Amino acid sequence: MPHKPGRTFPRHLHLVAVCAAAALAVSACSLGGGSNKSASTDQNAITVDLPNYPATFDPGLQYDTSSYTVYRNIFDQLLRRDPTSHEVVPGVADSWKQTDPTTWTFTIHNGIKFSNGEALTADDVAFSINRILDKNFNSPQFANFSTISSATASGNTLTVATHTASPTLLSYLTTLSVVPKDYVGKVGNDSFNAKPIGSGPYLLASQTAGSTAVLTANPHYWKAKPQVGKVTFRAVPNVATRVADLKSGRADLVTGLTPDTAKELSGDNKTQVLSSPTERVAYLAFNTMGDTPTKNVKVRQAIAYAIDYNSIISNLLGGFGKPVKTVLTPLSFGYPDNVAGYSYDPDKAKALLAASGVKSPELVFPSSPSYNPQLIQAIQANLEAVGFKVSISNTDQATYLKKVQSPKHDWGSVRFGRWSCSCLDADGTIYPLFHTGTIWSSFTDQTFDTAVEQARGTTDEAARTAAYTQAFDVIQAQVPGIGLYQDYAIYGAAADITWQPDAQENFFVADVRLGG
C-alpha cells in the first residue's frame, strides 16, 4: 500500500506503569495534564498493541501468534524465509547441505553472541532441537520436529538426522529459535521463561505480566543495529481499543485487525493499513467419528454446498480474503489446482440433506470469542437456510481447545478454525488436521493416511505432488473439512512507519523503518 505522509504528533515512549491496567479496557489513559500521549520525544521507540499478552517468552513452549510476535525478536532462527520470494535463506546457519537422504549438515555462523555475552555455537542449536523433542518438555512444537531422529554438534557444524527423508525439514527449521544451552541448564526452564536470553536484535528489558513487555536493543547483536531502539508490546484485547490507540498516537502499530476496523483507518492520513495474504487457511472441520449427523458423508457434502463463500469474503471480510478449493492455500506446496472444490449451491445442499436420510439434523457448533462471531453466525444462518438446526456453543479458548482435542470425539459436529503451520507445505496443514490419531483429527481414512505419509517421506517433488493429489481427492470426496478462504493478516500502522507483512505472519521489529 502506498506510504502516507508523516503524522503530526511526536514519536513517543509510553508510561506503561501508569497505563498498564487501562490498556486492557479503554483506549485513553491520562499521562500528565490530561494528554493521552507521552511527553517523551524518543524518535527510536515504538509501541505495538497485540490482542493478547505472550503466553510465554520461551520459544520451545508455545506457538501462538501473540507469543512469537514478541519472542522472535529476542531469539534468532536457525533459518529464515525471504518475505518476498518465500525461499529459505540463512539465519544463524550460513549454509547447509544434504549429505544423504536422511542427513543434513548446517554451518553455524561464527561470532554470534547471546545478550549475556556468551557465544552461540552449534551445540546451542542442537540443544534447542533436542529440547523440543524431549517428550518430558511437552512442547506443542513436537509434531513439527518429530521427523528428526538426532541433532548433534561438532565445532561450528550442526548435523541433523531424520527418521526418513524429510521434505519439510528446512521449512520447520525456519521457525526454530535458538536458545542458550548453558544458561537454560543453569537456571532451569521456569527462570529462563521469566528472564529469557537470546541472540536476536532485542532483549527483554521489563514486563508486567498480562499487560506489557518492553524490549530494548541487544548490545551484543551480531548484525546491523536496528533503527528501533525500544519497543513496548501491550496486550489490548479489544480490537476497537487497538484502533483508537493507533488513531490517537498511543500506539504505532497494532495487530489482529478485522476488516471492519481496517475500514475505520481509511482516509486517515496519520495511519495506514498494512495487509498480506498468508498461508493461513480458514476452514470448517467435521466430526466424522462422534455421535453426530456429520458421520454421514452426504450431510458433510450438504454443509459444503450450503456455505456462501463469496458473501463471506466480500461482505464479512471486506475483500481481505481469497477463495480456496480445499483446506490449504495456494502459497503452500501441494495445493491442488485441479480439485473441484465446493461452491455455494443451496438447492444441491437441500437435495443432499434429503438423500442422507438424516431427519431434523441438529448440529452442535463449538466456538470461542477468539473467532469472529459475525462469521460464525453467518455460517449458522447458511446452514439453517437449507434445513439444519445449529446450536453454537461458546466457551473460552482454553476450554474450546481442550474440547475439540478430546480423543473421545465428543466435541460436537462442526468447528471453525484458522490454520497456519508457518511451513508453506501441505504436510503442516492436512496431516495434523485429518490424519488418523492426531489431536485435531476426527476423521480416519486409510487411503488418505497412506498418501500423506508417502508425501512426508520423500523429497521427490513429483512423487509428493502425486501423493497430495490423492490425499486431496479423498478430502473432496469424504469431506472431513472444507476450506473457506485464504486468510489475510491485517495490521494498522502510523503513516511514518515502513514495514511489509509476510505470508508467515512474522513481525521482526528490526525490519521496521521510521520516518517515512
Side-chain angles (χ1 to χ4, degrees), residues 54-56 58-65 67-68 71 137 139-141:
T56 181
D58 184 335
L61 282 178
Q62 195 49 271
Y63 198 58
D64 65 287
T65 306
S67 291
Y68 67 63
Y71 72 58
F137 186 56
S139 172
Q141 299 173 56

Side-chain angles (χ1 to χ4, degrees), residues 150-356:
S150 66
T152 56
S154 177
N156 71 334
T157 299
L158 169 74
T159 300
V160 174
T162 57
H163 295 288
T164 61
S166 176
T168 56
L169 177 67
L170 296 183
S171 292
Y172 286 128
L173 289 177
T174 64
T175 70
L176 178 74
S177 294
V178 181
V179 303
K181 177 182 178 180
D182 289 346
Y183 177 75
V184 175
K186 178 181 178 181
V187 304
N189 292 329
D190 290 343
S191 293
F192 174 63
N193 189 19
K195 295 182 179 180
I197 296 294
S199 62
Y202 296 92
L203 52 84
L204 181 64
S206 64
Q207 60 171 304
T208 302
S211 177
T212 61
V214 180
L215 274 56
T216 55
N218 174 9
H220 297 287
Y221 188 50
W222 55 292
K223 292 184 178 180
K225 181 180 178 181
Q227 186 180 3
V228 175
K230 176 181 283 189
V231 54
T232 300
F233 290 98
R234 303 188 310 168
V236 184
N238 187 288
V239 64
T241 302
R242 297 198 295 277
V243 171
D245 285 350
L246 180 64
K247 294 173 74 172
S248 69
R250 294 190 63 242
D252 301 286
L253 190 143
V254 299
T255 73
L257 292 190
T258 63
D260 285 343
T261 53
K263 290 179 183 178
E264 294 182 36
L265 300 178
S266 61
D268 182 351
N269 65 4
K270 294 182 180 180
T271 65
Q272 58 181 315
V273 175
L274 303 174
S275 68
S276 174
T278 71
E279 67 159 11
R280 188 181 296 276
V281 62
Y283 66 95
L284 294 181
F286 304 128
N287 189 347
T288 74
M289 302 173 71
D291 184 15
T292 169
T294 49
K295 288 182 69 173
N296 186 308
V297 66
K298 283 187 169 59
V299 169
R300 302 196 297 270
Q301 291 171 336
I303 293 172
Y305 282 114
I307 305 301
D308 192 344
Y309 304 92
N310 290 334
S311 177
I312 288 173
I313 292 172
S314 60
N315 297 327
L316 292 180
L317 303 183
F320 288 102
K322 290 183 179 179
V324 293
K325 295 181 178 181
T326 189
V327 188
L328 198 68
T329 75
L331 287 174
S332 292
F333 179 87
Y335 183 80
D337 292 323
N338 297 324
V339 74
Y342 286 90
S343 57
Y344 180 50
D345 190 336
D347 290 336
K348 195 166 187 176
K350 292 176 183 178
L352 281 163
L353 186 55
S356 74

Side-chain angles (χ1 to χ4, degrees), residues 102-116:
T102 60
T103 308
W104 293 77
T105 60
F106 301 81
T107 301
I108 305 304
H109 187 84
N110 284 320
I112 302 176
K113 290 184 177 181
F114 291 108
S115 59
N116 62 358

Side-chain angles (χ1 to χ4, degrees), residues 267-479:
D268 182 351
N269 65 4
K270 294 182 180 180
T271 65
Q272 58 181 315
V273 175
L274 303 174
S275 68
S276 174
T278 71
E279 67 159 11
R280 188 181 296 276
V281 62
Y283 66 95
L284 294 181
F286 304 128
N287 189 347
T288 74
M289 302 173 71
D291 184 15
T292 169
T294 49
K295 288 182 69 173
N296 186 308
V297 66
K298 283 187 169 59
V299 169
R300 302 196 297 270
Q301 291 171 336
I303 293 172
Y305 282 114
I307 305 301
D308 192 344
Y309 304 92
N310 290 334
S311 177
I312 288 173
I313 292 172
S314 60
N315 297 327
L316 292 180
L317 303 183
F320 288 102
K322 290 183 179 179
V324 293
K325 295 181 178 181
T326 189
V327 188
L328 198 68
T329 75
L331 287 174
S332 292
F333 179 87
Y335 183 80
D337 292 323
N338 297 324
V339 74
Y342 286 90
S343 57
Y344 180 50
D345 190 336
D347 290 336
K348 195 166 187 176
K350 292 176 183 178
L352 281 163
L353 186 55
S356 74
V358 178
K359 306 298 182 183
S360 303
E362 297 187 12
L363 304 179
V364 176
F365 194 160
S367 188
S368 88
S370 295
Y371 303 122
N372 184 342
Q374 290 180 307
L375 175 58
I376 302 301
Q377 290 162 11
I379 294 170
Q380 179 188 37
N382 284 165
L383 297 179
E384 292 186 337
V386 301
F388 290 100
K389 180 180 179 181
V390 182
S391 299
I392 297 173
S393 175
N394 262 308
T395 60
D396 63 89
Q397 182 72 354
T399 302
Y400 166 81
L401 291 174
K402 184 177 180 180
K403 182 186 299 183
V404 300
Q405 293 173 357
S406 168
K408 296 180 180 179
H409 305 287
D410 56 358
W411 52 267
S413 311
V414 56
R415 65 179 182 83
F416 172 79
R418 297 169 57 251
W419 187 274
S420 171
C421 66
S422 294
C423 65
L424 298 174
D425 195 285
D427 178 75
T429 299
I430 62 173
Y431 186 98
L433 285 179
F434 303 126
H435 187 278
T436 302
T438 69
I439 63 172
W440 295 102
S441 177
S442 288
F443 175 68
T444 181
D445 183 276
Q446 186 58 56
T447 300
F448 175 85
D449 289 352
T450 299
V452 292
E453 288 164 6
Q454 289 174 343
R456 66 167 18 196
T458 177
T459 56
D460 185 312
E461 290 194 356
R464 298 191 75 221
T465 299
Y468 281 133
T469 297
Q470 188 174 29
F472 282 109
D473 284 346
V474 173
I475 291 176
Q476 174 73 17
Q478 296 300 316
V479 206

